[in-house]
Amino acid sequence: MLQSLREIREKTEGFFVAKGVPNAKLDADLLIAKALKLKRLELYLDLERPLTESELECLRVLVRRRGQREPLQYILGECHFCDCALSVDARALIPRPETEGLIERVLPRLAGASQILDLGTGSGAIALALAQAIVKTGVSANSAPVITATDRSAESLKLAEANRDRLGLSTQVDLLQSDWFEAIESGACFDIILSNPPYLTEEEYAVAEAEVKNYEPKEALVAGDAGMADLKKIIHQAAGFLAKDGILALETGIAQHVELIKWARESGYSEVESHRDLCQRDRYLILHR
């Protein structure tokens, strides 16, 4: 006997609850919608609809993956970040809402900027969100800032390239394989440098959700020196690549600002701004050259 959509929804949600999956109801809806090629709200228009065996088989594969705690975004193959719909997979971190806060703090500072650098771009989230925002202001391609996005991972850059081209931003964003500033030409000068580098400690990583520990690339999450090794390297090296009155904008761990601010001042920055995220935790640093 065929099972109805209502029955399958209830069973899927119950399965996810038993597996400890956060947001079990939402995840069940989204995966069923993907399997049936529907929008989520369309599921509720015909809950008594019977599902065919082929539809169930497609759904079983997706549900099994989520039950193993694979991130929902990797299963769906996409993630919404700022105003961008990005393809995501295990080649790069899933863009977080916290990083949208970094974009929000940089957007008002774009006036007059001609060269922007995004370090460790991953899926391209930061660079593409900025480029999309700039395009929406109606700035012509000739006068828009040039955004360079780097990553040391060639595979991550392939993902960023696919996102860039799908969004129609190939003329706004250049991609470059580089381990932080390694491949940046000597003498290059940027008005804004941004980065969301690895900043978790090994201890924080050890207690992270299974979705993070078992699926996302560890090298993009964890850094030495209490999570600050890459942040300190970027802060120190960026000073030599910033234009006069340029800024370095960073997402950081929530217990790192005291030491990083001291490091920034020792590295020659004239002004340091510390900003909190929506949960009122120290999260962003804006450093002025």
Side-chain angles (χ1 to χ4, degrees):
M1 181 177 177
L2 296 178
Q3 299 180 78
S4 70
L5 177 52
R6 184 190 304 277
E7 291 172 313
I8 293 301
R9 282 186 64 254
E10 292 172 354
K11 289 182 179 180
T12 303
E13 181 182 350
F15 175 75
F16 285 163
V17 169
K19 291 293 185 178
V21 173
N23 305 310
K25 182 176 181 179
L26 175 62
D27 286 15
D29 280 358
L30 292 174
L31 291 179
I32 294 171
K34 180 176 178 64
L36 300 183
K37 297 181 174 61
L38 298 172
K39 295 180 180 179
R40 184 191 176 201
L41 292 179
E42 291 176 328
L43 299 179
Y44 294 87
L45 299 179
D46 191 8
L47 288 172
E48 303 311 318
R49 163 191 168 178
L51 270 63
T52 66
E53 184 55 38
S54 61
E55 289 173 333
L56 285 172
E57 186 53 40
C58 178
L59 177 60
R60 288 187 190 107
V61 173
L62 304 180
V63 170
R64 189 178 304 118
R65 290 171 65 184
R66 189 67 185 107
Q68 294 169 345
R69 302 296 293 273
E70 183 176 350
L72 176 70
Q73 294 90 337
Y74 285 169
I75 301 171
L76 296 176
E78 66 177 9
C79 175
H80 289 271
F81 178 82
C82 294
D83 288 330
C84 299
L86 301 172
S87 295
V88 290
D89 58 38
R91 289 176 288 180
L93 289 183
I94 298 163
R96 268 54 170 189
E98 290 85 357
T99 308
E100 292 186 351
L102 184 67
I103 301 294
E104 290 169 2
R105 283 159 179 79
V106 169
L107 286 177
R109 308 167 194 257
L110 288 176
S114 60
Q115 296 287 334
I116 298 172
L117 178 63
D118 170 27
L119 295 169
T121 197
S123 64
I126 289 176
L128 297 175
L130 283 176
Q132 188 96 295
I134 292 167
V135 167
K136 287 186 176 181
T137 65
V139 175
S140 69
N142 292 334
S143 57
V146 175
I147 302 174
T148 302
T150 74
D151 204 288
R152 67 182 177 186
S153 165
E155 290 303 307
S156 290
L157 285 174
K158 289 178 183 177
L159 178 60
E161 181 179 21
N163 280 321
R164 179 194 68 178
D165 295 348
R166 186 167 52 80
L167 291 168
L169 297 170
S170 57
T171 59
Q172 285 81 15
V173 178
D174 294 328
L175 298 172
L176 174 68
Q177 187 170 5
S178 179
D179 186 358
W180 302 136
F181 292 95
E182 185 177 69
I184 303 297
E185 290 185 10
S186 176
C189 197
F190 299 92
D191 303 290
I192 299 173
I193 300 175
L194 307 91
S195 187
N196 173 25
Y199 56 71
L200 293 184
T201 65
E202 287 286 354
E203 293 75 17
E204 289 170 328
Y205 182 76
V207 297
E209 294 283 354
E211 287 85 348
V212 175
K213 288 192 296 184
N214 297 339
Y215 292 95
E216 295 194 86
K218 182 178 180 180
E219 64 273 14
L221 290 161
V222 178
D225 189 10
M228 292 180 284
D230 289 303
L231 282 159
K232 287 183 175 180
K233 185 174 184 178
I234 291 169
I235 289 171
H236 181 71
Q237 293 183 352
F241 289 93
L242 279 172
K244 186 177 183 298
D245 299 323
I247 62 167
L248 171 62
L250 298 168
E251 181 177 333
T252 75
I254 60 175
Q256 299 171 341
H257 278 203
V258 171
E259 186 166 345
L260 290 177
I261 288 171
K262 179 182 177 184
W263 180 258
R265 287 175 174 149
E266 291 174 356
S267 299
Y269 291 87
S270 60
E271 181 184 346
V272 178
E273 301 176 33
S274 175
H275 296 273
R276 293 181 173 181
D277 61 22
L278 293 176
C279 295
Q280 297 305 306
R281 300 168 298 191
D282 290 340
R283 181 66 70 185
Y284 316 104
L285 285 175
I286 309 292
L287 310 180
H288 296 252
R289 182 78 167 89

